[in-house]
């Protein structure tokens, strides 16, 4: 499973960016997709995720400013980021938990987690 993220860049405080990520490869279905970020010296932080049923969850730090959405047909997830702050500066990663068929199992599915390569978001003050 490959995840290709795009949309990062440099933006002034108060501005907006929209990140995109599409999953490709061989999998049975997507369980959920999400966005994380990691700033230098910090742990990777979950920002938002969205389930196959459309249920969303947000970190307190981005609630009300970031919106996660998806396109099921494209196996894609998006993160609309508004009212950006300098502290939002980080590398942003998309992730996906998918079901894959276990080879030779006759139909047994197993879940696995996958990550994209990261896209830099820099917010200037």
């Amino acid at each position: 499973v490959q995840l290709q993220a795009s949309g990062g860049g440099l933006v002034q405080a108060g501005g907006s960016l929209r990140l995109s990520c599409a999953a490709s490869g061989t999998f049975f279905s997507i369980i959920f997709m999400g966005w994380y970020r990691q700033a230098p010296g910090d742990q990777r932080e979950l920002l938002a995720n969205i389930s196959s049923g459309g249920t969303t969850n947000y970190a307190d730090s981005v609630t009300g400013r970031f919106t996660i959405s998806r396109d099921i047909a494209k196996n894609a997830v998006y993160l609309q980021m508004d009212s950006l702050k300098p502290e939002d500066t980080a590398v942003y990663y998309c992730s996906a938990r998918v079901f894959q068929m276990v080879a030779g199992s006759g139909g047994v599915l197993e879940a696995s987690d996958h990550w994209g390569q990261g896209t830099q978001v820099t917010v200037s003050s």
Side-chain angles (χ1 to χ4, degrees), residues 69-87:
S69 61
R70 62 183 182 155
D71 185 327
I72 295 175
K74 296 181 179 179
N75 292 323
V77 65
Y78 309 97
L79 188 68
Q80 177 66 39
M81 305 186 294
D82 299 317
S83 302
L84 282 162
K85 306 174 182 179
E87 51 264 43

Side-chain angles (χ1 to χ4, degrees), residues 5 17 56 65 76-77 108 122:
L17 283 173
T56 58
R65 299 189 299 123
V77 65
V108 175
T122 302

Side-chain angles (χ1 to χ4, degrees), residues 18-19 29 36 42 53-55 61 69 83-84 91 93 98 108-109 116 119-120:
R18 185 174 186 252
L19 304 183
S29 64
Y36 291 71
D42 290 347
T55 301
S61 58
S69 61
S83 302
L84 282 162
V91 178
Y93 299 89
V98 305
V108 175
L109 299 176
T119 184
Q120 177 70 45

